[in-house]
Amino acid sequence: SPGGCCCFCFWRDSHGSLFLSLWVVCCCRFFIFSFVIKTCKKMGIQTVAVHSDVDSNVHVKMADEAVCVGPAPTSKSYLNMDAIMDAIRLTGAQAVSGNEFLAAVGVTFIGPDTHAIQAMGDKIESKLIAKAAKVNTIPGFDGVVKTAEDAVKIAQQIGYPVMIKASAGGGGKGMRIAWNDEETREGFRFSSQEAASSFGDDRLLIEKYIDNPRHIEIQVLADKHGNVLWLNERECSIQRRNQKVVEEAPSMFLDADTRRVMGEQAVQLAKAVKYSSAGTVEFLVDSKKNFYFLEMNTRLQVEHPVTECITGLDLVEQMIRIAKGYQLQQKQEDIPINGWAIESRVYAEDPFKSFGLPSIGRLSQYQEPLKLSHVRVDSGIEEGSDINIYYDPMISKLVTYGATRAEALARMEDALDNYVIRGVTHNIPLLREIITHPRFVSGDISTNFLPEVYPEGFKGHHLDEDRCRELLASAAALHVTSQLYSHKILGTQRVSSAPMDQNNWELCVELGQELHDIEISKSGNSYIVKVDGGQVEVCGDWNLASPLLPLTINGTCRMLQCLSKESSGNIVLQYMGTLFKVRVLSKLTAKLNSYMPEKVSEDTSSILRSPMPGTVVAMSVKPGDTVADGQEICVIEAMKMQNSLTAVKQAKVKSVHCQPGETVGEGDLLVELE
């Protein structure tokens, strides 16, 4: 699948026969292989990792062997079957895939048979099979939508809103919601283009859009002897652009009867296609617990660790055993729900732009929160790894487990605060706000959670008076500590706002457009800070070399991160998950600074800059054209998702600075208007 990676796994059975297993994992990048290889090692299986020339990350180092299968574009590497076959021959492999092409050379696939992959991989065919298997399905048009005007007619017959989706799609790609005829035409165009780019198949279908649903899926496990189990559910309702962001198991919403019926229908579908291996049957569930089949993923899902946490099963191990021909060892009554697990998908994205537009760069500093108990991180990257434009921008799957949901959420909050990521913009600020939001904590969620909670877009953590005082006091204490340390190491030659021969200081801290007067006194490792009519006590070990800054603020433990600090007083702190830029000044400096002229912001109404790195797919204007407010100017594709950029006013096009096919960076000038 596009953006996917491959891992070849060897093992010997009791008779010494050598087998090779080929894994192809869709849109999950190299981090999938961390846990695959770990399980293989646990089972005594040797592994060979295949990779593109820009994707040789941790999974390559973990494997016993590695083979490069081509350059970065997936069509020239992971989707290049000749290169994959060459890797199989090079390693002397004998085994893997239900695919007839691979079967002809004796390769055995760890996964379902080809007919199941093809049947469930096509949304049109899978819906027809689901209907025949007596699985609840969404009302809609079961055929292929051929043109934009056909799409409009079908949408009118079904009734708005409708969901336009790629027949061969997945991962939210090639999906658009339409509420009227014009949105249907536009959705048809973008969805078909995304589908062709991501899956090599531009066929579309249209279904009734279930407004404000929950996304709940059932994990199934089936062997080659007709035995099928359902391993309870995962709730994946927190999404942006139809892509999952936070998942959990079990769901707060389901009762035992609904869970059982959904599980039984998932088993019916698996049996209908003679499924074997691990798979996921996805459903949309309305407020009255009516559920409708969405799709079946014939692979291991990104969110599978939460199922492993509550059931105690290693799904990778089960898939390998099934591929070898063993029967399932468990019965349905043996499948438990023990505790609660939460998964946050950590992305290299800017959450302040449409809840997450891709970010690229090198991980200059990277530290996973693995020292915390009941925390699991599936990543496959390390400090120095590159995040590029060719693959999905996911950094890792961060999973926490607890006896209760509250315990799992508390551990997730700690894990996010202790996760150090430098060099790329990431979505930890959004993840932390989601898992601490009262609506999420109470279980009042749906796939519309993000636009409903943040109708103006995500703005980061909102500081109330108490939290604002905490931040200001922490910044002032850190600044004084840093200045005193500089005096101790470098001497007293430098001008400082914190002389060593005193324990009390009067400072000003600038946050946003506001300047706050500070009185701070030091006693040992503690500071008493008077700010905005309140008093804050800040204690810590003040290790200035560590990216993590564990503090006790008014008796409460807080984990802050210091991303940068300068002798001039500029400090960037990560507090409550969000980055805040503050400036600590002496009283005199603050007074003189007030006379400095303010920098005039760039007038962006007459220019269009790229909001993210990507490729220009289409340019809809040329110099001299007149554009209306809201009219499309160009389309940028990043990580297989297409984004239409529009004019913010009526104007004449002055100049165009890019052409279709060109790669652009975040902030690059695209078009100028008069």
Side-chain angles (χ1 to χ4, degrees):
S1 296
C5 303
C6 304
C7 175
F8 295 92
C9 309
F10 294 83
W11 79 89
R12 292 182 183 274
D13 63 15
S14 58
H15 300 289
S17 301
L18 182 64
F19 293 88
L20 168 71
S21 311
L22 167 63
W23 284 79
V24 182
V25 184
C26 176
C27 300
C28 301
R29 294 198 70 198
F30 43 78
F31 64 85
I32 280 289
F33 299 110
S34 300
F35 62 83
V36 171
I37 294 175
K38 286 177 183 176
T39 296
C40 288
K41 287 182 180 295
K42 182 180 71 175
M43 299 177 70
I45 300 172
Q46 291 181 289
T47 56
V48 179
V50 300
H51 61 93
S52 71
D53 57 10
V54 299
D55 223 4
S56 54
N57 285 279
V58 171
H59 77 291
V60 172
K61 298 177 182 178
M62 291 177 65
D64 298 292
E65 298 180 58
V67 179
C68 181
V69 290
T74 54
S75 61
K76 297 180 180 180
S77 52
Y78 298 119
L79 296 183
N80 183 346
M81 189 53 65
D82 289 338
I84 299 298
M85 292 304 302
D86 286 343
I88 293 174
R89 297 187 187 97
L90 178 65
T91 55
Q94 294 180 348
V96 134
S97 193
N99 185 303
E100 291 83 1
F101 179 61
L102 293 177
V105 293
V107 181
T108 304
F109 180 56
I110 299 183
D113 292 336
T114 302
H115 73 88
I117 295 175
Q118 293 175 342
M120 294 294 100
D122 187 307
K123 286 184 170 60
I124 297 173
E125 184 178 353
S126 67
K127 186 175 179 180
L128 295 174
I129 293 172
K131 278 185 176 180
K134 297 185 173 16
V135 176
N136 301 346
T137 58
I138 301 173
F141 179 69
D142 295 333
V144 177
V145 183
K146 296 181 180 179
T147 68
E149 291 310 312
D150 286 341
V152 169
K153 292 177 183 177
I154 292 168
Q156 291 173 344
Q157 292 170 0
I158 295 172
Y160 288 109
V162 297
M163 174 69 81
I164 303 169
K165 60 173 68 172
S167 176
K173 295 178 175 64
M175 296 177 66
R176 289 289 191 283
I177 300 168
W179 295 81
N180 54 50
D181 292 353
E182 187 56 37
E183 289 184 3
T184 300
R185 292 187 182 92
E186 185 179 84
F188 179 89
R189 178 164 68 95
F190 282 123
S191 290
S192 58
Q193 289 174 355
E194 283 182 4
S197 174
S198 296
F199 313 111
D201 184 344
D202 64 357
R203 293 176 303 143
L204 303 177
L205 70 153
I206 298 180
E207 294 177 336
K208 178 70 177 176
Y209 175 63
I210 308 299
D211 196 14
N212 216 40
R214 300 174 84 111
H215 187 131
I216 299 177
E217 58 192 30
I218 303 292
Q219 176 72 58
V220 296
L221 196 61
D223 62 24
K224 298 180 181 298
H225 305 276
N227 302 305
V228 185
L229 303 175
W230 52 276
L231 309 183
N232 304 308
E233 81 281 358
R234 298 185 289 258
E235 171 123 18
C236 310
S237 296
I238 306 300
Q239 304 180 1
R240 51 96 179 93
R241 298 191 301 279
N242 301 308
Q243 291 181 311
K244 304 165 189 174
V245 180
V246 177
E247 300 101 352
E248 62 182 304
S251 167
M252 289 185 69
F253 188 62
L254 293 192
D255 55 66
D257 287 340
T258 306
R259 176 181 294 115
R260 176 184 53 78
V261 175
M262 290 179 72
E264 289 173 350
Q265 288 200 13
V267 167
Q268 289 168 203
L269 181 61
K271 288 183 175 181
V273 291
K274 295 181 173 56
Y275 196 84
S276 63
S277 195
T280 302
V281 182
E282 303 193 6
F283 295 95
L284 291 181
V285 186
D286 67 20
S287 59
K288 296 180 180 179
K289 298 182 180 177
N290 298 309
F291 59 90
Y292 306 94
F293 170 71
L294 183 62
E295 64 179 338
M296 183 177 188
N297 276 289
T298 56
R299 55 179 170 81
L300 203 59
Q301 291 281 83
V302 171
E303 59 273 20
H304 85 276
V306 294
T307 296
E308 293 188 335
C309 285
I310 67 166
T311 62
L313 294 175
D314 184 329
L315 295 183
V316 174
E317 180 179 351
Q318 294 298 320
M319 292 175 72
I320 293 174
R321 286 180 54 83
I322 290 168
K324 192 71 167 69
Y326 294 119
Q327 293 192 42
L328 294 174
Q329 298 170 305
Q330 301 81 15
K331 303 295 183 184
Q332 189 61 56
E333 56 269 21
D334 300 327
I335 305 303
I337 298 180
N338 291 329
W340 215 284
I342 310 285
E343 177 180 291
S344 294
R345 299 191 184 196
V346 181
Y347 282 98
E349 290 183 336
D350 186 346
F352 299 93
K353 297 178 179 179
S354 301
F355 301 114
L357 293 184
S359 171
I360 61 174
R362 175 164 293 178
L363 292 169
S364 57
Q365 200 167 9
Y366 184 74
Q367 182 176 312
E368 297 174 347
L370 293 175
K371 292 183 180 179
L372 302 178
S373 63
H374 296 87
V375 172
R376 168 177 169 174
V377 182
D378 290 343
S379 61
I381 58 173
E382 61 186 352
E383 199 164 282
S385 293
D386 285 314
I387 307 295
N388 54 54
I389 65 172
Y390 298 106
Y391 310 115
D392 191 281
M394 192 183 298
I395 293 174
S396 74
K397 306 179 299 179
L398 176 63
V399 184
T400 58
Y401 174 77
T404 64
R405 187 172 188 263
E407 194 173 85
L409 284 174
R411 285 174 173 155
M412 179 60 71
E413 186 177 342
D414 287 343
L416 291 169
D417 284 342
N418 281 269
Y419 208 143
V420 178
I421 302 172
R422 307 281 191 271
V424 296
T425 305
H426 54 77
N427 68 331
I428 282 179
L430 176 61
L431 294 172
R432 196 185 189 283
E433 288 299 300
I434 290 171
I435 61 109
T436 58
H437 194 280
R439 271 191 59 178
F440 183 84
V441 173
S442 68
D444 178 19
I445 60 177
S446 74
T447 56
N448 293 327
F449 178 88
L450 289 178
E452 287 177 358
V453 171
Y454 308 105
E456 303 297 323
F458 179 65
K459 306 297 183 184
H461 183 75
H462 173 70
L463 293 171
D464 59 24
E465 289 185 3
D466 290 340
R467 301 292 86 76
C468 184
R469 278 194 289 265
E470 283 189 8
L471 175 63
L472 296 170
S474 301
L478 178 62
H479 174 75
V480 171
T481 300
S482 180
Q483 292 289 299
L484 293 175
Y485 183 76
S486 294
H487 274 298
K488 182 178 179 180
I489 300 300
L490 302 174
T492 58
Q493 293 84 6
R494 302 177 67 185
V495 176
S496 172
S497 58
M500 288 192 71
D501 57 356
Q502 68 181 70
N503 289 319
N504 298 279
W505 302 270
E506 291 186 355
L507 303 171
C508 293
V509 180
E510 185 179 76
L511 176 62
Q513 302 299 316
E514 296 184 359
L515 200 63
H516 303 262
D517 290 330
I518 298 280
E519 292 181 21
I520 181 170
S521 59
K522 183 177 187 295
S523 176
N525 287 332
S526 299
Y527 291 91
I528 301 297
V529 185
K530 294 180 180 180
V531 53
D532 293 345
Q535 181 170 295
V536 181
E537 182 181 9
V538 184
C539 308
D541 58 10
W542 305 105
N543 181 356
L544 301 180
S546 172
L548 296 173
L549 191 62
L551 299 178
T552 301
I553 306 177
N554 285 343
T556 301
C557 294
R558 303 279 192 204
M559 180 61 75
L560 282 70
Q561 295 188 29
C562 181
L563 278 74
S564 67
K565 56 183 180 297
E566 301 171 359
S567 58
S568 61
N570 291 315
I571 301 175
V572 179
L573 284 175
Q574 182 173 305
Y575 171 71
M576 298 292 185
T578 296
L579 297 186
F580 292 95
K581 297 179 180 180
V582 299
R583 189 179 182 191
V584 185
L585 307 168
S586 67
K587 290 275 189 178
L588 176 60
T589 304
K591 182 179 179 180
L592 296 175
N593 192 58
S594 65
Y595 296 105
M596 297 293 290
E598 292 186 9
K599 182 179 179 180
V600 179
S601 300
E602 181 183 34
D603 179 12
T604 58
S605 63
S606 297
I607 60 174
L608 180 66
R609 294 188 181 277
S610 178
M612 61 195 160
T615 303
V616 179
V617 175
M619 178 59 65
S620 305
V621 299
K622 61 182 184 300
D625 288 351
T626 299
V627 294
D629 182 9
Q631 180 178 333
E632 179 181 290
I633 292 181
C634 66
V635 177
I636 303 293
E637 181 179 270
M639 280 74 171
K640 303 298 183 181
M641 297 292 286
Q642 295 193 355
N643 301 270
S644 176
L645 307 184
T646 60
V648 297
K649 67 177 183 179
Q650 181 172 334
K652 188 176 182 180
V653 177
K654 179 181 179 181
S655 58
V656 175
H657 295 267
C658 61
Q659 298 297 326
E662 289 185 9
T663 299
V664 295
E666 180 180 356
D668 284 0
L669 181 61
L670 304 177
V671 173
E672 289 184 271
L673 304 176
E674 293 183 354

